[in-house]
Amino acid sequence: MVGGERIMVTLKELPLEDYIVSGHRMCAGCGSAIAARMALKAAGPNTIVVNATGCLEVATTIYPYTSWRVPWIHVAFENAAAVASGIEVAIKVLTRKNLMKQQPNIIAFGGDGGTFDIGIQALSGALERGHRFLYICYDNEAYMNTGIQRSSATPLGAATTTSPSGRVIPGKKEWKKDLIGIAVAHSIPYAATACISYWSDYINKVKKALNFNGPTVIHVLSPCQLGWRFDPSETIKIGRLAVQTRIFPIYEVEYGKYKLNINVTKPLPVIEYIKVQGRFRHLLEPQNSHIIKDIQENVNLQWSRLLKLCSIG
Amino acid sequence: MSKTGWRNLPIAGIIPKAGSSLEYKTGTWRAFKPVVDESKCTFCLLCWIYCPDGAVKRFNSNKKISIDYDYCKGCGICASECPVKAISMVEE
Amino acid sequence: MRVIGLTGDEAVAYAVKQCDVDVIAAYPITPQTIIVERISDFVANGEINAEYVCVESEHSALSACIGASAMGARVFTATASQGLALMHEILYIASSLRLPIVMAVVNRALSAPINIHGDHSDMMGSRDCGWIQIYTENAQEAYDITIQAFKIAENPTTSLPVTVNLDGFIISHSMERVEILDDDDVKRFLPHRSPLYRLDVENPITIGPLCFTDYYFEFKRQQAEAIEGSYKTIMNVMNEYSKVSGRNYKFIDTYGIEDAEILIICMGSTCGTARFTAKRLRERGEKVGIIKVSLYRPFPCEEVIEAIKNAEVLVVMDRAVSFGAPSGPLCSDIKNVLYDFGLKIKILNIIYGLGGRDVSQNDIEQAFKLGFKLKLGDIKDKVLWLGVRE
């Protein structure tokens, strides 16, 4: 099969079993834990997981405990895609030599630091070589594992411990990197954004991605209560606001063809998203109002560009 | 509890037992606990899918959910996402 | 058994082909390129049933090897110099995870200034990485050791990665006469790998978890035991290979040690020049000898002591610098062993051949002369740089 038709799954059809189980030490209300748990529910037990160094890796495998019920390997921070490449070719050749019968899915998980920054070269190499695997970037928009340092996925204006809001500089000065744009530039079969708050869209995208005979990328927004500074109970709400303000559009690109999956026809102003997170608190001060204006303008611009790519409007 | 010495540990730090973190109870992290009002619950399963810890248990036979307090960290996502307000957070 | 003309790089590639390798992941770098080019030819022509992954860096090369090895595949890679340095982080992980991988390191100088020629700075910079490290003297040895390396690495009690070191250009690019085993002999010598553990959906294990202060130390102790315990595996494999090939392999090789007053200890291609020179000097009645260290990690302490115990002066030749250290890396090991065995033998450390600077018979003669001078107390230096312009 070359392409995946959308296999819509309802909550009641999802397996009872978890393949990443309780007892892990991700923070209470962690969005990334939700992202991993949903992905594994979609993929099922016939899956090998490669995990880049990061929150998900450390908090789920504190020796002698592991939360994983699928074969799992962590090697280093920047090389999850390269490790996955080796696994994929090994399966190919061992199958050819009749030394292996299983044909497992391969999912590589990397945070935004392990994907946008230090892992981008290994990811690019693996995408170019065309290995059959799914790369899931769980994006919590900073290096959360090491204590909230800025990454190239951190949005403009956000305060982190290395892009603090100071007397002179009001948080991060640069826009967020376009990961899916980079992935699509490799002419891979499938790339998509998702947000944990839209479970159906995300889970079905994982299922769909695993059906392609080639590399696929899912960029899933995973709000972080600790780094974004909101109440742990609000994780899903914050993700929903990111989508409903059009700050994080939900779309997919199949063989180069863009499709908007969630059309936000009545967007909320970005301030609704900004004002509920501590990392943006300084933007509410009068001297920084122009930054909010810039963010809104950029969101409008990016949205209209996306609509064009999707041949809408 | 005395820990295993190097001679008897599995090689290379591998963990042979899948899902062994079930032996590690994270319920002690909790300050508020979710309490389910069964009379309101519609078995929509949003709390089940959005729980970061897999601490919402789902029973298809009687269409009920329950909270596994051994692992629930008390984040409150379930209460926050419940569309019929069937879950409330109660101080421990 | 037949004889063909091969460069050292080609000999390694030929061995890899005969070893029925499953996965090769490599990135080209001078002077390793011939290895990856030949293997690419073998794959392209269907002469080897393997997957060749053209990775985008050495870092990813070794990372892909780890993934493939964790699947239970037989895995090979090759690199040199900056490539090995770029792999540094992953070298330690491969050995810590106890994953068999064979890597040819075509020894080359490290930048800066950039230099493509042979010395041992690259491997010496990573000598503590937990890999078994074997140095070869010529193309024949590069061929033979590559085959043996797979059997050593994949031995279930050892289960460690192995580097096969060959000097850049001097071995890698010099055409030599190489005796090649029959394919079937290699097949019999090297059956397919049975991994200690693997990524398997029917038996899901976790590889590479986080260990805090309560367990990390134990795993390092365990790993030290693995490499120390590999002496026996290496010796068995070398003995078995000697029977198959008729060529004798040992941890160290000696010449003239029975009565030598001055012993040169060296590694790699220099050993051939040193042996040749020592023979000529012995014909003139000079009591000199040579020790070639083939197995560098784990260091063959007992064999070395046995070979040097009667010498009056040791001239240890290092083709690498350990900046700021009391002596070069090989010399530091020798001194360490001497102390442990309670022997006090005079030692001169010679740093030579950096960046591919040629080493001639004259240089070796000069090294022996310096050894005699040290014996007579005529020189005070402990480390001398041979062949460098003042």
Side-chain angles (χ1 to χ4, degrees):
Chain A
M1 168 171 182
V2 280
E5 286 76 48
R6 201 62 167 275
I7 320 128
M8 292 305 292
V9 171
T10 66
L11 278 177
K12 292 184 177 66
E13 287 161 357
L14 281 175
L16 283 169
E17 295 79 27
D18 275 320
Y19 300 101
I20 165 171
V21 301
S22 312
H24 63 71
R25 285 175 251 183
M26 305 288 269
C27 300
C30 173
S32 304
I34 298 171
R37 184 170 164 255
M38 285 182 180
L40 267 292
K41 274 210 186 299
N46 188 33
T47 304
I48 292 173
V49 169
V50 184
N51 211 158
T53 310
C55 289
L56 181 64
E57 169 264 326
V58 299
T60 57
T61 64
I62 298 176
Y63 196 88
Y65 304 112
T66 178
S67 299
W68 299 87
R69 285 180 56 218
V70 289
W72 181 96
I73 184 168
H74 157 251
V75 178
F77 197 2
E78 66 279 58
N79 64 353
V83 175
S85 307
I87 291 171
E88 192 251 7
V89 295
I91 292 172
K92 263 191 196 168
V93 68
L94 293 175
T95 304
R96 214 156 60 211
K97 292 182 180 180
N98 284 324
L99 294 164
M100 187 174 171
K101 290 211 165 59
Q102 309 147 352
Q103 293 300 305
N105 305 310
I106 303 167
I107 299 181
F109 284 106
D112 49 295
T115 307
F116 283 64
D117 289 346
I118 200 167
I120 194 80
Q121 175 180 324
L123 177 61
S124 172
L127 298 184
E128 182 272 332
R129 292 189 299 271
H131 301 285
R132 181 179 182 156
F133 79 117
L134 165 60
Y135 191 99
I136 298 180
C137 171
Y138 64 95
D139 180 7
N140 50 26
E141 300 195 320
Y143 292 88
M144 299 314 185
N145 189 35
T146 44
I148 319 161
Q149 292 84 22
R150 163 265 198 230
S151 79
S152 58
T154 305
L156 182 136
T160 69
T161 56
T162 53
S163 63
S165 161
R167 280 189 294 276
V168 183
I169 303 172
K172 195 197 177 211
K173 294 188 287 184
E174 303 81 14
W175 297 111
K176 184 181 176 94
K177 198 189 265 184
D178 175 14
L179 181 71
I180 292 299
I182 293 169
V184 167
H186 290 77
S187 300
I188 57 173
Y190 186 72
T193 63
C195 172
I196 55 161
S197 309
Y198 296 84
W199 66 267
S200 173
D201 175 77
Y202 173 46
I203 284 177
N204 284 295
K205 278 174 173 167
V206 172
K207 280 184 173 289
K208 180 173 177 173
L210 290 171
N211 278 331
F212 288 95
N213 188 17
T216 51
V217 174
I218 294 178
H219 172 198
V220 57
L221 188 70
S222 310
C224 168
Q225 50 97 346
L226 192 74
W228 299 11
R229 286 183 277 152
F230 58 79
D231 188 87
S233 66
E234 306 278 285
T235 303
I236 303 300
K237 276 190 185 144
I238 297 285
R240 209 175 282 130
L241 279 171
V243 174
Q244 292 304 326
T245 51
R246 293 179 174 171
I247 280 179
F248 197 86
I250 304 297
Y251 62 99
E252 64 188 346
V253 189
E254 192 173 336
Y255 293 111
K257 196 172 181 311
Y258 281 72
K259 185 180 174 193
L260 191 65
N261 303 118
I262 299 179
N263 193 355
V264 184
T265 47
K266 289 181 189 143
L268 297 168
V270 294
I271 185 72
E272 298 300 314
Y273 178 68
I274 288 166
K275 72 180 186 193
V276 289
Q277 298 176 56
R279 62 175 173 163
F280 294 124
R281 194 174 50 204
H282 55 285
L283 298 184
L284 303 177
E285 291 163 16
Q287 74 274 20
N288 289 330
S289 60
H290 65 284
I291 299 174
I292 297 178
K293 197 166 153 270
D294 286 350
I295 294 172
Q296 184 66 64
E297 280 171 12
N298 188 55
V299 161
N300 297 347
L301 178 74
Q302 297 302 332
W303 183 264
S304 60
R305 280 177 54 183
L306 180 64
L307 288 189
K308 279 197 192 99
L309 287 167
C310 296
S311 308
I312 305 172
Chain B
M1 194 180 87
S2 73
K3 292 192 167 81
T4 313
W6 66 267
R7 290 175 200 279
N8 296 316
L9 284 170
I11 68 154
I14 64 161
I15 304 175
K17 191 179 171 190
S20 61
S21 71
L22 288 171
E23 294 162 29
Y24 190 89
K25 308 288 167 73
T26 51
T28 53
W29 296 18
R30 202 172 50 240
F32 289 84
K33 71 172 181 181
V35 176
V36 184
D37 181 345
E38 285 187 10
S39 68
K40 290 185 185 166
C41 175
T42 62
F43 199 62
C44 73
L45 296 177
L46 283 175
C47 55
W48 173 75
I49 196 66
Y50 284 133
C51 177
D53 290 285
V56 177
K57 297 294 163 205
R58 136 188 182 192
F59 302 96
N60 287 348
S61 52
N62 57 0
K63 294 201 184 301
K64 282 196 164 118
I65 57 130
S66 74
I67 309 294
D68 189 338
Y69 296 114
D70 278 350
Y71 303 108
C72 168
K73 293 169 187 162
C75 69
I77 287 178
C78 54
S80 177
E81 287 306 308
C82 179
V84 292
K85 303 285 163 222
I87 304 174
S88 44
M89 298 302 289
V90 180
E91 198 164 352
E92 286 279 350
Chain C
M1 180 98 65
R2 63 203 176 93
V3 177
I4 48 177
L6 293 173
T7 66
D9 274 1
E10 288 172 337
V12 169
Y14 201 94
V16 168
K17 179 176 100 161
Q18 290 186 303
C19 289
D20 188 27
V21 170
D22 300 315
V23 172
I24 302 106
Y27 187 82
I29 181 168
T30 305
Q32 156 264 38
T33 36
I34 302 172
I35 300 180
V36 294
E37 288 167 357
R38 290 298 172 274
I39 293 175
S40 302
D41 285 342
F42 296 145
V43 174
N45 294 324
E47 292 177 60
I48 174 175
N49 189 357
E51 288 286 323
Y52 185 109
V53 194
C54 291
V55 282
E56 81 298 333
S57 73
E58 288 88 354
H59 195 281
S60 284
L62 193 54
S63 302
C65 287
I66 285 181
S69 188
M71 283 306 300
R74 176 167 294 159
V75 180
F76 176 81
T77 186
T79 191
S81 183
Q82 308 306 119
L84 186 68
L86 186 57
M87 282 182 183
H88 190 75
E89 178 196 22
I90 310 302
L91 290 173
Y92 284 72
I93 300 174
S95 58
S96 303
L97 294 181
R98 303 283 300 277
L99 291 172
I101 294 166
V102 172
M103 171 160 66
V105 178
V106 186
N107 301 109
R108 166 186 148 182
L110 285 174
S111 295
I114 190 168
N115 172 293
I116 57 167
H117 292 279
D119 74 27
H120 295 160
S121 337
D122 51 5
M123 191 71 250
M124 287 305 170
S126 294
R127 65 189 185 275
D128 287 341
C129 68
W131 288 49
I132 293 170
Q133 295 156 42
I134 306 175
Y135 283 75
T136 63
E137 185 188 321
N138 49 40
Q140 182 70 61
E141 286 194 8
Y143 169 82
D144 290 331
I145 292 292
T146 301
I147 297 172
Q148 295 171 66
F150 284 105
K151 194 155 175 122
I152 295 165
E154 294 171 5
N155 177 288
T157 42
T158 297
S159 202
L160 281 173
V162 180
T163 67
V164 179
N165 290 266
L166 53 154
D167 287 345
F169 290 102
I170 304 166
I171 304 178
S172 67
H173 284 59
S174 300
M175 180 73 75
E176 292 183 56
R177 172 192 182 281
V178 179
E179 289 182 14
I180 298 296
L181 296 184
D182 292 338
D183 290 355
D184 287 343
D185 285 340
V186 179
K187 211 165 270 176
R188 264 192 301 276
F189 177 74
L190 196 64
H192 204 274
R193 182 184 157 198
S194 6
L196 267 185
Y197 65 82
R198 58 186 286 268
L199 290 164
D200 175 7
V201 291
E202 275 158 28
N203 180 27
I205 60 167
T206 287
I207 304 172
L210 168 68
C211 284
F212 285 130
T213 49
D214 55 350
Y215 282 100
Y216 180 88
F217 204 6
E218 277 66 30
F219 288 115
K220 291 300 115 180
R221 179 67 190 85
Q222 207 185 54
Q223 196 186 340
E225 189 73 6
I227 192 158
E228 280 160 28
S230 70
Y231 287 118
K232 206 176 154 200
T233 304
I234 302 167
M235 190 176 286
N236 289 342
V237 170
M238 285 179 164
N239 288 341
E240 194 184 330
Y241 189 80
S242 298
K243 279 182 209 143
V244 177
S245 66
R247 288 182 293 279
N248 208 7
Y249 280 93
K250 288 177 292 188
F251 298 170
I252 63 166
D253 184 47
T254 61
Y255 173 71
I257 57 165
E258 313 75 45
D259 60 349
E261 292 173 5
I262 316 292
L263 272 179
I264 281 185
I265 307 177
C266 55
M267 300 199 295
S269 61
T270 307
C271 299
T273 317
R275 195 185 300 103
F276 183 82
T277 310
K279 265 184 195 163
R280 285 185 35 188
L281 292 176
R282 285 179 75 86
E283 281 160 18
R284 301 207 306 244
E286 297 192 42
K287 293 189 169 172
V288 296
I290 297 295
I291 294 174
K292 168 170 91 176
V293 177
S294 295
L295 179 65
Y296 183 64
R297 287 289 182 268
F299 196 74
C301 306
E302 285 172 18
E303 289 76 6
V304 165
I305 277 295
E306 190 56 34
I308 63 179
K309 63 182 181 192
N310 297 321
E312 291 184 46
V313 170
L314 303 175
V315 178
V316 185
M317 298 187 62
D318 268 297
R319 204 165 193 160
V321 196
S322 181
F323 294 103
S327 53
L330 179 60
C331 190
S332 294
D333 290 324
I334 299 286
K335 283 179 181 172
N336 196 338
V337 173
L338 283 175
Y339 187 89
D340 285 350
F341 284 80
L343 288 180
K344 204 161 163 62
I345 304 177
K346 285 182 177 172
I347 290 199
L348 175 65
N349 187 200
I350 286 182
I351 309 294
Y352 77 104
L354 300 189
R357 180 65 54 87
D358 198 21
V359 189
S360 65
Q361 293 169 48
N362 286 345
D363 294 319
I364 301 292
E365 263 195 67
Q366 177 68 12
F368 277 124
K369 269 183 201 155
L370 290 167
F372 277 112
K373 276 191 182 172
L374 183 73
K375 183 189 161 193
L376 299 172
D378 289 351
I379 47 173
K380 296 256 177 307
D381 300 279
K382 291 187 171 66
V383 183
L384 285 173
W385 290 56
L386 184 72
V388 74
R389 289 186 302 278
E390 291 298 330

